[in-house]
Amino acid sequence: MLHQLKALLFVLFQSPTFYVCVMSILYLLHRYIAGGIRRYWDPRRTERPPCLDASSSSSTNPQEDTPCLDASSSSSTNPQEDTPSLDASSPSFSNPQDNYEVFLSFRGETGKTFTSHLYKALDQKGIYTFLDVKRLERGEDISRGLDKAIEGSRCAVVILSGNYASSRWCMDELVQILKCRNDSKIKQIVLPIFYHVNPDDILKDKGRIWEGFQSLKREFPNNEEKVKTWRDALIQLANIAGHHVHHGSIEAEFIEDFIKVVSSKLFDPALLNISKGLVGMHSRLEKLKLCVSRSRSSFGDVRFIGICGLGGVGKTTLARAYLKYMSCQFQASSFLANIREVCEKEHDDGLVRLQKLLLTDVLKGEHIVNDVFVGKDMICRRLRRKKILVVLDDVDQLNQLEGLAEESHWFGDGSQIIVTTRDESLLPRMYGKKEYIIHKVDELEDSEALQLFSSKAFKSDCPPEDYRELSVKVIEYASGLPLALVVLGSFLREKTRDEWKSALDRLKEYPEKAIMRVLRISFDGLEVTEQNIFLDIACFFNGAPKSFVMNIMDSCGFFPEISIRSLMDKSLLDMDHDRNRLRMHDLLEEMGKEVVREKSRNEPGRRSRIWLKDDFYNVLHKETGTEEVEAIIGPPMNPETDFTWRGFSNMKKLRLLIISTLDFWWSKRNRWPDNEYLSNELRFLMWAGFPLKSFPRSFQPHGLVELSLTYSCIERLWDNPMMEPLNKLKSIDLSVSSQIRKLENFNLFPNLEKLILDDCGHLEEIDPSIEFLKRLTLLSLKCCRSLMSLPTSMGGLKSLKVLNLSDCSRLGDLPEGLVCSNEELDVTGTGLKDITPSVGDLKAPKLQSHGWKNIWNTIVGNGLSSAGLSCLEKLYLNKCGLRDGAFPDDFRCLVSLEHLDLSRNEFSCLPAHFNQLSKLRHLDLSYCQNLTSLGPELPDSLEGIKVNYCPELHTFLDPLSQCNLQCSAIYCVNCFKLVNRQGSKRTAITSLGRYLQNPPSRRFDIFLLGNEIPSWFTHKVMGSSLISLPICQNWCTNKWMGFALCVCFTTPNYLLGDWFWEIKINQEDWGFGYVHWAGEKYWNGKKSNSHIWLLYLPRDAYFHIEWYNKSDEIQFSFKSRLENEILEFKQCGVHLVYERDIEELNLTARDEPIELPAKDEDEGE
């Protein structure tokens, strides 16, 4: 048997077929082994790391909150598809741009050591890196595939080791890399790593690297041109600032640090495609990055960052960009998209799925999560030692945060959890005050909006000239909302101009559904009272004063204090703090109106709110009103218009009615039919020019809270003695209702708090039943010139705080005890002759005594110290005829006095003990014709002082005298003698210098006569109100204190003071709104003289941290709010104030000449 086997093998070995088979097997085995090694090294063996724009598969519609602002709007591809092969034969490089983020160029000697570790570190950081260990045989040209791989990489890392230059393949690769670096279209980043070599050796023709190059040179004795190209490439590389690995380096630490360098280069916003495709994203990303970086020292190791704003403003897009920018600085990252939508559709299952995704993104692999509580425990245990970056997109409920990021200790030190949300209140309710920061996303500026819209509508940065005007109208409609700009731009693309016009007209009646659908998400999540307030503001009160809106909403029972705060938290409402008005984005307003309109598209009488003139008249004329109508704010009504009051008859649930009669005098001359149709559900009724003599008996609105019938024909309110009291009525205003002679039946309003009867010229008597108004706090009878007496029962109004009897010229004595609890009593122009109130009981914080000398004499006669006025905070003594010596010695006992009005009196100076009013903050001495000087008698506590129109005043804030006064507001309108003696420029600069001695937190204003601004303002313009200040990179240092502005101007109008500064940094609003004139408005009576206004805005009150990175220019523009006011500008200047300027101010003040302003010819007559 054994012999037979040997014989068989002998035959096989002799056969040539056997050798062919064996060689084939060995070759296949070699290919298999080599292929396995190559797959191990080649990054193409794994799926391409998902693009951070779509890193979470949880998103079913990741663009719902905000459309991608990518100007190209290219459709996204599947990030999980295999990366195309880079073989030379691969046809996949038709568009090689940005195929890889890093290309590694190296010699094989480092392939299995340093280079492999570097590649692994880059891969772990999600940096898509090309590395190919398949070294081409020497003598073969660089492959077309590798050539394209280099071109398509944004960064090339050249690992220059000792033998690198001995390889033709490596040198060809280096030449191609440097070619891409120098190409203006590619601008490839090149980062050399000098691995155990010295770059100086290349320049000095020595060392291992040079020896290797010489050996390569010898291989090409007949190709000097190619050798020179290689040599030039080596020298160019040696001159690039690189990174060194030497014998003392710890390679693991070097690689960790080098990865940070690569990340910072790759994800510099200036280099990212973000800046090209996402309009306005670069500046927004910088603002967010700066906001986060500035919070590190005070917010601990783990930070929760809320990105807030209304729907469609770009929160999600900004979060994606930030993730792409910053993810390489973390061990792992995760983007959980559309959390609100996922949880709404899947409830707890959706939250569990999101927990799994978070764990998978960070830890890789599959994770079993059975319920929310298990998921929370796993996140806490598994992620608490990892530094990660997580985006929780579109969060709207606390339980979502609780399930995904409840506590800071769930995550490792340095982790950042970004939460995009429309509800700003979520983070304060979830985390401690020092654990979170809020970053609000603003709408686009007009220039950015036009660029984004043009990219969608025209595929360019600006519209064609013949479409420019139409494009501007679209921009105005969108009001800077990216969502609207993208939707409308895409819709209008390739449309004719006539089609554009038709589309714009249609938008007025039928807003774009795609826009409204996104905005409506926030509205649908509101409580019922919040929805009611939102719709009322959208339909009626956008831009109205907050106090006015709050009052009406409170009357309607909508709890405005908490509801309006909630609307602001959800970015549905904003506050114009400068004017204290409520603002709503134009598209939110349109969405609110659309919510109302969609209830009945064709019949306004079936809608909840009516605000359009045509709808209002249509409903009244056709009598189509229904119980659906809740609120009406109508236009002025023409009494001759053909409509019937029966139109109100079916509006049984009307709660808010604000209308007016156009012709008040027609109403008085003609009798209107009795209106029996007003709703008894009314809570707030304001009807200017109300035409009826009294309310009909059927009108018994027991829920009515506020009633305003100014300019009305009313003679009595209700003529129904059997009527039940209106217990909820708090305010009645019947001003300028000239038909009222006697007001009675106060027992119908037992809880009334305010009663206003100003200018009721025929009012003769107040009924004694006013004693029932135990809660009355304000009673105003101003200009009731027929009123001769007040009922004695008013002495029992113990809650009365404000009583205005000014210009009640026939009024006699006040009832006994009436003054005792007043906070404010105004009796200007009354006929009161003698009154001796119980002064010892006067404990009011405010006392007005305009022209009322008797009460002053009474107080002085009894002695101020015995008058119990030590708690008095405000004292008004203007027009009291006070002369020198009128102030008693114990005037100093007014130790709590903060506000004092002594205007229009006759004294020439203040007593020396005046400076003992240690809490006095505001003093008004305007129109004191005899006042000559002010100095040491002014208390140091003063913050604001007015000496306007004091023609004899010649000494005040003397620059040459010692003065401790540091007022922040100084107004010296038309003080000629003061300026003639001291000089306006010298006085202004000295006052500013004194104010800056102690670092101020409030703004500083000084206003006085002058023909030019101080010379200290070196940056100034002539004859203009617009000035731009170039700023350098490091202008906003810790030494910077604030802005100083100065303008010299004349106004030809009589009204002075409705002015403001508009400030922009790099063409963007500076974030604090307009800076308005803080003084009073003056009716001058003649053309104003030339004045200067110097304003200082301190850093402590006016500063945004993102200014650190601003470097271009700051624009300052001085304007008037009055459209017809024409200001004549002489000079305008600005100065950035630094600490060194304080001493310079003092030196400048001494050198300022005293200019003589041109005195008005009427002055002093």
Side-chain angles (χ1 to χ4, degrees):
M1 185 69 181
L2 182 60
H3 292 290
Q4 291 176 341
L5 181 59
K6 288 181 179 181
L8 179 61
L9 288 174
F10 177 79
V11 174
L12 287 175
F13 277 117
Q14 296 299 316
S15 171
T17 305
F18 174 81
Y19 285 101
V20 172
C21 292
V22 171
M23 292 301 294
S24 298
I25 293 172
L26 290 175
Y27 174 76
L28 291 175
L29 183 60
H30 165 74
R31 289 290 304 272
Y32 176 80
I33 295 173
I37 295 174
R38 186 160 53 252
R39 284 192 300 272
Y40 176 81
W41 282 103
D42 195 333
R44 292 165 287 170
R45 70 185 180 86
T46 60
E47 295 172 346
R48 176 172 178 161
C51 173
L52 295 177
D53 284 344
S55 59
S56 173
S57 59
S58 66
S59 171
T60 57
N61 182 12
Q63 300 301 330
E64 178 154 349
D65 178 22
T66 306
C68 178
L69 304 187
D70 190 342
S72 64
S73 189
S74 59
S75 59
S76 61
T77 57
N78 184 358
Q80 299 302 323
E81 290 178 0
D82 290 340
T83 303
S85 170
L86 290 182
D87 290 343
S89 60
S90 173
S92 61
F93 284 100
S94 57
N95 181 17
Q97 296 299 315
D98 287 358
N99 288 296
Y100 292 92
E101 289 168 321
V102 171
F103 180 94
L104 287 181
S105 177
F106 64 99
R107 190 75 162 100
E109 61 185 322
T110 66
K112 296 182 179 179
T113 53
F114 177 81
T115 301
S116 65
H117 298 152
L118 177 59
Y119 170 76
K120 184 176 181 181
L122 289 166
D123 185 54
Q124 287 178 341
K125 291 296 182 180
I127 298 176
Y128 188 39
T129 304
F130 177 83
L131 177 144
D132 193 353
V133 296
K134 180 183 178 182
R135 301 288 83 180
L136 302 180
E137 296 180 5
R138 183 177 299 178
E140 183 180 327
D141 291 335
I142 184 171
S143 73
R144 178 62 180 164
L146 291 176
D147 186 19
K148 285 297 182 180
I150 294 172
E151 288 183 22
S153 298
R154 292 179 47 229
C155 175
V157 175
V158 180
I159 304 170
L160 195 64
S161 57
N163 291 323
Y164 184 93
S166 64
S167 165
R168 173 191 174 182
W169 187 88
C170 287
M171 294 307 298
D172 283 345
E173 203 170 70
L174 178 61
V175 170
Q176 181 66 14
I177 287 172
L178 294 175
K179 180 181 176 182
C180 292
R181 178 178 186 261
N182 298 325
D183 190 323
S184 60
K185 294 181 180 180
I186 301 176
K187 294 183 179 179
Q188 189 173 78
I189 304 165
V190 176
L191 299 175
I193 295 178
F194 300 107
Y195 189 78
H196 297 294
V197 298
N198 188 343
D200 289 342
D201 290 349
I202 299 174
L203 304 176
K204 296 177 181 179
D205 296 347
K206 66 176 185 177
R208 286 182 60 207
I209 189 77
W210 189 251
E211 292 171 1
F213 179 71
Q214 291 301 314
S215 66
L216 178 62
K217 180 180 178 180
R218 286 191 291 271
E219 295 180 20
F220 296 88
N222 299 321
N223 198 341
E224 294 182 3
E225 183 178 351
K226 193 173 193 66
V227 171
K228 183 178 183 302
T229 303
W230 290 337
R231 185 175 187 279
D232 291 343
L234 272 178
I235 293 173
Q236 185 178 345
L237 186 71
N239 284 306
I240 298 175
H243 305 265
H244 298 259
V245 178
H246 47 74
H247 293 293
S249 300
I250 300 175
E251 293 189 0
E253 293 180 359
F254 174 88
I255 289 174
E256 183 178 352
D257 293 337
F258 184 74
I259 293 295
K260 295 178 182 178
V261 174
V262 175
S263 299
S264 65
K265 297 289 185 180
L266 282 177
F267 302 110
D268 185 339
L271 301 174
L272 282 176
N273 284 339
I274 291 171
S275 60
K276 298 178 182 178
L278 303 182
V279 177
M281 183 54 65
H282 175 71
S283 61
R284 282 158 178 75
L285 191 58
E286 280 298 299
K287 287 180 182 179
L288 175 60
K289 180 174 173 284
L290 187 61
C291 179
V292 174
S293 65
R294 294 289 175 189
S295 69
R296 287 181 179 176
S297 60
S298 57
F299 288 80
D301 294 321
V302 177
R303 277 160 293 156
F304 298 93
I305 303 151
I307 299 180
C308 304
L310 72 155
V313 78
K315 302 182 296 295
T316 299
T317 307
L318 177 59
R320 289 185 187 279
Y322 185 81
L323 190 91
K324 184 171 184 177
Y325 178 91
M326 297 294 293
S327 60
C328 293
Q329 299 184 20
F330 297 82
Q331 291 177 282
S333 61
S334 176
F335 192 105
L336 302 182
N338 289 339
I339 291 175
R340 174 191 54 80
E341 180 184 342
V342 170
C343 291
E344 281 180 357
K345 291 181 177 179
E346 305 176 40
H347 304 291
D348 282 353
D349 289 342
L351 197 53
V352 168
R353 184 159 70 85
L354 291 168
Q355 291 174 329
K356 290 180 180 178
L357 282 170
L358 176 58
L359 291 167
T360 299
D361 286 344
V362 176
L363 303 174
K364 312 305 178 186
E366 293 295 326
H367 300 271
I368 299 175
V369 179
N370 296 322
D371 56 46
V372 172
F373 297 102
V374 171
K376 290 171 65 174
D377 183 64
M378 289 182 67
I379 293 172
C380 176
R381 287 188 296 103
R382 302 293 303 278
L383 306 187
R384 61 186 176 185
R385 290 184 177 86
K386 288 190 174 293
K387 178 184 175 182
I388 62 175
L389 175 60
V390 179
V391 174
L392 307 179
D393 176 52
D394 196 13
V395 175
D396 72 336
Q397 299 294 332
L398 277 179
N399 71 304
Q400 296 160 5
L401 288 179
E402 290 169 348
L404 297 167
E406 185 173 18
E407 301 283 351
S408 59
H409 65 78
W410 285 16
F411 310 100
D413 290 348
S415 294
Q416 294 179 12
I417 314 300
I418 295 177
V419 180
T420 72
T421 178
R422 305 184 188 200
D423 189 351
E424 188 178 326
S425 70
L426 285 178
L427 274 78
R429 288 157 57 194
M430 187 74 221
Y431 307 113
K433 189 173 183 180
K434 293 186 176 182
E435 291 183 314
Y436 71 90
I437 55 175
I438 298 293
H439 180 78
K440 298 206 73 170
V441 182
D442 298 325
E443 293 82 31
L444 295 176
E445 297 288 334
D446 287 348
S447 58
E448 297 171 332
L450 186 62
Q451 183 182 350
L452 175 60
F453 174 74
S454 299
S455 71
K456 296 299 180 183
F458 309 108
K459 298 297 181 183
S460 66
D461 288 342
C462 59
E465 194 58 38
D466 56 337
Y467 277 85
R468 188 169 187 83
E469 185 177 348
L470 290 170
S471 297
V472 169
K473 290 183 179 180
V474 177
I475 302 307
E476 291 174 354
Y477 175 83
S479 299
L481 192 69
L483 165 71
L485 294 163
V486 169
V487 171
L488 294 176
S490 301
F491 170 70
L492 293 171
R493 180 166 169 74
E494 302 295 340
K495 301 287 194 301
T496 66
R497 295 180 78 255
D498 289 339
E499 289 171 331
W500 274 53
K501 293 176 182 178
S502 176
L504 287 170
D505 290 337
R506 188 179 71 176
L507 284 174
K508 298 174 183 177
E509 291 292 329
Y510 301 93
E512 187 66 33
K513 289 183 179 180
I515 302 171
M516 295 299 110
R517 183 169 57 249
V518 173
L519 296 178
R520 176 115 187 211
I521 292 170
S522 296
F523 173 80
D524 290 339
L526 298 175
E527 300 293 337
V528 174
T529 56
E530 295 168 356
Q531 288 184 341
N532 278 320
I533 290 179
F534 177 87
L535 294 178
D536 278 355
I537 293 175
C539 294
F540 306 126
F541 303 122
N542 192 6
K546 181 183 178 183
S547 57
F548 177 68
V549 178
M550 294 275 285
N551 185 43
I552 295 177
M553 297 300 101
D554 187 47
S555 299
C556 294
F558 291 158
F559 310 101
E561 200 71 46
I562 185 64
S563 298
I564 286 180
R565 173 57 188 272
S566 180
L567 291 175
M568 295 178 72
D569 287 341
K570 292 177 171 62
S571 302
L572 295 174
L573 203 59
D574 202 0
M575 172 73 77
D576 179 356
H577 293 284
D578 193 52
R579 291 295 186 183
N580 204 30
R581 293 176 179 269
L582 295 174
R583 300 287 183 187
M584 180 180 288
H585 191 279
D586 291 346
L587 289 178
L588 286 174
E589 176 186 323
E590 191 61 37
M591 183 269 289
K593 290 178 178 178
E594 181 64 14
V595 170
V596 175
R597 278 192 296 255
E598 68 185 10
K599 295 292 184 182
S600 178
R601 181 65 64 180
N602 298 319
E603 181 47 67
R606 295 185 179 276
R607 302 173 190 161
S608 63
R609 291 157 180 83
I610 298 174
W611 64 91
L612 294 177
K613 175 181 178 180
D614 291 344
D615 290 344
F616 177 62
Y617 281 124
N618 182 278
V619 169
L620 290 185
H621 177 67
K622 296 182 179 180
E623 301 179 28
T624 55
T626 67
E627 290 188 358
E628 297 294 326
V629 180
E630 298 179 19
I632 297 175
I633 295 186
M637 296 184 299
N638 189 334
E640 299 179 356
T641 302
D642 182 21
F643 64 81
T644 171
W645 292 108
R646 288 192 300 273
F648 285 110
S649 60
N650 292 322
M651 300 181 192
K652 305 297 184 183
K653 295 182 180 180
L654 187 66
R655 57 174 170 82
L656 169 63
L657 178 61
I658 300 179
I659 55 177
S660 62
T661 303
L662 188 63
D663 190 342
F664 304 131
W665 307 113
W666 192 97
S667 300
K668 297 177 187 296
R669 295 192 304 268
N670 299 272
R671 179 176 175 80
W672 286 48
D674 288 344
N675 183 5
E676 300 284 342
Y677 307 108
L678 286 176
S679 168
N680 284 328
E681 296 299 316
L682 276 169
R683 307 286 296 263
F684 187 98
L685 174 58
M686 179 182 287
W687 191 329
F690 184 69
L692 306 182
K693 293 183 177 181
S694 68
F695 286 121
R697 294 194 172 193
S698 62
F699 182 52
Q700 299 185 26
H702 293 290
L704 188 66
V705 177
E706 184 153 342
L707 174 65
S708 177
L709 304 176
T710 59
Y711 295 91
S712 72
C713 297
I714 202 83
E715 295 179 4
R716 68 188 69 83
L717 290 176
W718 277 274
D719 187 15
N720 184 0
M722 304 302 294
M723 181 175 171
E724 295 183 6
L726 303 179
N727 292 315
K728 294 186 177 181
L729 188 58
K730 294 182 179 181
S731 176
I732 296 177
D733 185 355
L734 303 177
S735 298
V736 204
S737 295
S738 59
Q739 304 302 310
I740 297 179
R741 296 184 179 276
K742 180 180 180 180
L743 201 60
E744 49 193 351
N745 297 330
F746 288 105
N747 57 310
L748 289 178
F749 333 117
N751 296 314
L752 197 68
E753 297 176 1
K754 296 181 181 179
L755 178 59
I756 303 173
L757 301 169
D758 296 344
D759 286 291
C760 292
H762 291 92
L763 180 65
E764 299 174 350
E765 184 179 353
I766 302 292
D767 192 78
S769 63
I770 196 172
E771 65 178 336
F772 288 103
L773 305 184
K774 300 299 183 182
R775 298 187 178 182
L776 191 68
T777 61
L778 181 149
L779 175 60
S780 184
L781 298 165
K782 183 174 66 174
C783 295
C784 292
R785 296 185 175 91
S786 297
L787 187 64
M788 301 180 66
S789 64
L790 297 177
T792 57
S793 59
M794 284 183 61
L797 300 179
K798 302 300 182 182
S799 298
L800 193 62
K801 296 180 179 180
V802 178
L803 175 60
N804 191 338
L805 301 173
S806 63
D807 288 314
C808 294
S809 54
R810 302 180 64 185
L811 185 62
D813 296 338
L814 293 180
E816 184 177 354
L818 181 61
V819 185
C820 66
S821 61
N822 282 26
E823 287 186 359
E824 183 174 332
L825 176 61
D826 188 347
V827 290
T828 304
T830 65
L832 292 170
K833 298 178 180 178
D834 185 34
I835 183 169
T836 53
S838 180
V839 182
D841 293 333
L842 255 175
K843 298 179 180 179
K846 181 187 290 187
L847 177 63
Q848 285 190 256
S849 185
H850 308 305
W852 189 20
K853 301 178 183 179
N854 292 320
I855 192 169
W856 171 252
N857 293 331
T858 301
I859 293 175
V860 173
N862 291 339
L864 285 175
S865 58
S866 64
L869 294 177
S870 60
C871 65
L872 192 69
E873 296 176 1
K874 297 181 181 181
L875 180 58
Y876 295 81
L877 297 172
N878 59 324
K879 294 191 295 185
C880 284
L882 300 178
R883 295 181 171 85
D884 292 336
F887 296 94
D889 291 339
D890 54 358
F891 194 82
R892 71 193 75 177
C893 78
L894 301 177
V895 293
S896 300
L897 196 64
E898 296 182 4
H899 297 257
L900 177 59
D901 187 349
L902 295 175
S903 61
R904 300 181 187 272
N905 280 295
E906 300 174 20
F907 50 79
S908 64
C909 61
L910 296 174
H913 58 71
F914 201 84
N915 59 17
Q916 296 182 32
L917 300 176
S918 58
K919 292 188 177 180
L920 188 65
R921 296 190 295 117
H922 299 281
L923 175 63
D924 192 350
L925 299 170
S926 299
Y927 297 96
C928 289
Q929 300 293 315
N930 300 322
L931 184 64
T932 58
S933 65
L934 292 169
E937 67 273 16
L938 295 176
D940 295 343
S941 58
L942 270 182
E943 297 174 4
I945 184 169
K946 300 174 185 176
V947 292
N948 301 309
Y949 300 100
C950 294
E952 299 300 320
L953 182 65
H954 57 72
T955 302
F956 173 49
L957 302 172
D958 192 341
L960 303 180
S961 302
Q962 178 66 30
C963 179
N964 296 324
L965 204 62
Q966 291 183 309
C967 287
S968 60
I970 304 167
Y971 300 99
C972 312
V973 177
N974 277 18
C975 294
F976 283 94
K977 288 189 176 181
L978 178 67
V979 174
N980 287 340
R981 179 182 177 274
Q982 299 179 179
S984 59
K985 296 187 292 183
R986 183 182 294 182
T987 301
I989 286 295
T990 302
S991 300
L992 176 60
R994 288 167 178 161
Y995 184 67
L996 294 177
Q997 291 299 322
N998 297 317
S1001 59
R1002 296 187 305 275
R1003 62 184 266 186
F1004 170 84
D1005 296 75
I1006 184 168
F1007 188 86
L1008 69 170
L1009 282 164
N1011 293 321
E1012 59 183 11
I1013 66 176
S1015 60
W1016 179 71
F1017 288 92
T1018 53
H1019 194 83
K1020 54 190 172 185
V1021 295
M1022 306 292 290
S1024 174
S1025 64
L1026 175 64
I1027 183 168
S1028 296
L1029 177 67
I1031 51 177
C1032 61
Q1033 183 70 38
N1034 299 316
W1035 70 276
C1036 191
T1037 67
N1038 292 333
K1039 301 292 185 180
W1040 174 67
M1041 298 177 63
F1043 303 103
L1045 312 174
C1046 195
V1047 61
C1048 178
F1049 66 101
T1050 301
T1051 172
N1053 293 349
Y1054 298 154
L1055 185 64
L1056 305 180
D1058 209 358
W1059 313 308
F1060 62 90
W1061 284 95
E1062 181 181 22
I1063 302 176
K1064 293 184 176 182
I1065 298 182
N1066 293 358
Q1067 300 298 328
E1068 297 179 4
D1069 183 86
W1070 74 322
F1072 295 99
Y1074 298 148
V1075 182
H1076 287 270
W1077 162 263
E1080 296 176 352
K1081 297 177 179 63
Y1082 294 94
W1083 185 260
N1084 192 23
K1086 54 183 176 292
K1087 180 177 178 179
S1088 170
N1089 295 287
S1090 177
H1091 281 75
I1092 64 171
W1093 175 22
L1094 192 155
L1095 171 68
Y1096 170 72
L1097 303 173
R1099 173 201 188 107
D1100 288 353
Y1102 300 91
F1103 176 69
H1104 282 309
I1105 56 175
E1106 56 263 28
W1107 291 354
Y1108 279 111
N1109 283 358
K1110 296 284 187 181
S1111 58
D1112 191 357
E1113 65 176 9
I1114 311 177
Q1115 302 89 28
F1116 303 88
S1117 182
F1118 180 70
K1119 300 180 179 180
S1120 171
R1121 189 169 290 276
L1122 300 176
E1123 294 182 359
N1124 60 343
E1125 182 171 20
I1126 302 175
L1127 301 176
E1128 300 174 3
F1129 298 100
K1130 293 187 175 182
Q1131 284 182 311
C1132 183
V1134 61
H1135 194 110
L1136 293 182
V1137 183
Y1138 294 86
E1139 292 178 0
R1140 63 178 180 272
D1141 288 306
I1142 298 178
E1143 182 61 31
E1144 183 183 332
L1145 278 169
N1146 297 328
L1147 296 174
T1148 303
R1150 299 192 197 114
D1151 298 333
E1152 285 286 7
I1154 298 178
E1155 74 285 5
L1156 299 178
K1159 188 170 183 178
D1160 191 274
E1161 59 183 6
D1162 297 329
E1163 196 66 38
E1165 291 185 1

